[in-house]
Amino acid sequence: MVIVYPSSIRMSIGKQTYALRNLRKRKENDKSAVYASKYFKSYDAQDSKPERINESFYDDDCIQTAKSMLGMTLARKLGSEILRCKIVEVEAYMAKTDKASHSYNFKRTKRNEAMFMKPGTLYVYMTYGMYYCMNISSKGDGDAVLIRGVEPFEGLETMQKNRAKINSKQNQIKNVTNGPSKLCQALKVTKQLDKIDMSNSDEIWLEKGTAVDEKDIVTCKRIGLKQTTSGDWATKPLRFYIYGNMFVSVKDKLEEKKKEDNFT
């Protein structure tokens, strides 16, 4: 089932489409476009059976894995229903030198153990004592990708209901999953899913999605980091999102302006 958004949301999506118009025209004529990952594959969710991502996909450099996740489908099974979203925003965290990472300097604890498990392991942690965030481990001990924003396309009503228990603004569709904790609430991702292998889980997994041109990826600093605790890593360009997508949690206007200027 593909969601038919109400008129007010269709207007917002219309603005998003307008914002991408020039880039799309450019892509149509650009035969040398570089895609973020060889694993991407365009398909119509109504006509084709989604293909699950296998474990070799996650066994790659953290930054490349993060970019490659954009456009892929995050699937979550709740009872007899499968919820599906397109990943539109991610952040990369590396263990060796990244002071913002839970695994900085290869620090391994009971809490972050999943970050040191095989690539493709789900790392779920609690923040502010009440919200959850989900990450997926990549190649390199302690490296992982935070999922920051997703766009629902199957099971929206269930996601809204899951969010309504937490936040009355759930009826504003873009607020259902435009943030790391919001999407965890919508998909009922909790600590119980910590350490799950995404490549063979029947509860939550990734599927091959729609191709995303490298030129349509905005690269910018991560959200919520302070230089007092993270040093220079607070401003490192390790957040990646799909330009123009309404489900991105926070848009970097400066980086978007640079991107627009490059194609005018």
Side-chain angles (χ1 to χ4, degrees), residues 38-209:
K38 63 182 180 181
Y39 290 91
F40 283 130
K41 173 184 174 184
S42 298
Y43 70 90
D44 187 330
Q46 299 182 84
D47 301 326
S48 304
K49 182 179 179 180
E51 185 176 352
R52 180 191 286 258
I53 292 293
N54 62 41
E55 61 183 31
S56 63
F57 170 80
Y58 306 101
D59 193 17
D60 201 352
D61 168 81
C62 187
I63 292 177
Q64 180 58 41
T65 300
K67 288 184 176 182
S68 297
M69 285 184 182
L70 294 175
M72 290 198 311
T73 297
L74 173 60
R76 172 75 166 115
K77 186 174 184 180
L78 293 176
S80 60
E81 183 180 18
I82 296 180
L83 313 179
R84 286 188 169 91
C85 310
K86 179 172 75 172
I87 297 176
V88 301
E89 181 184 6
V90 295
E91 290 180 347
Y93 288 86
M94 284 80 68
K96 187 175 182 180
T97 55
D98 185 354
K99 293 183 178 180
S101 175
H102 290 176
S103 57
Y104 169 56
N105 201 24
F106 299 110
K107 181 180 180 181
R108 185 169 184 167
T109 65
K110 184 177 180 180
R111 180 198 191 198
N112 72 3
E113 189 175 359
M115 299 180 78
F116 293 87
M117 296 173 70
K118 63 173 288 190
T121 299
L122 189 64
Y123 168 44
V124 181
Y125 67 88
M126 180 173 281
T127 183
Y128 298 113
M130 60 186 298
Y131 300 117
Y132 292 101
C133 294
M134 65 172 289
N135 306 254
I136 304 175
S137 66
S138 65
K139 183 178 182 179
D141 279 348
D143 293 359
V145 178
L146 170 70
I147 310 299
R148 276 203 64 90
V150 298
E151 177 179 348
F153 64 87
E154 287 187 23
L156 174 62
E157 290 185 1
T158 297
M159 295 183 215
Q160 286 180 302
K161 290 177 182 177
N162 292 339
R163 283 278 289 135
K165 298 174 182 178
I166 310 293
N167 192 320
S168 61
K169 292 183 178 180
Q170 56 82 25
N171 285 324
Q172 299 176 23
I173 292 179
K174 70 176 184 178
N175 286 327
V176 176
T177 55
N178 66 337
S181 294
K182 292 179 182 180
L183 69 90
C184 283
Q185 292 167 358
L187 300 174
K188 285 195 173 181
V189 173
T190 67
K191 193 67 175 177
Q192 291 182 334
L193 295 178
D194 188 45
K195 300 181 183 178
I196 275 184
D197 184 348
M198 297 282 286
S199 64
N200 59 31
S201 171
D202 292 326
E203 298 181 80
I204 187 167
W205 62 91
L206 295 189
E207 297 168 349
K208 295 181 182 180

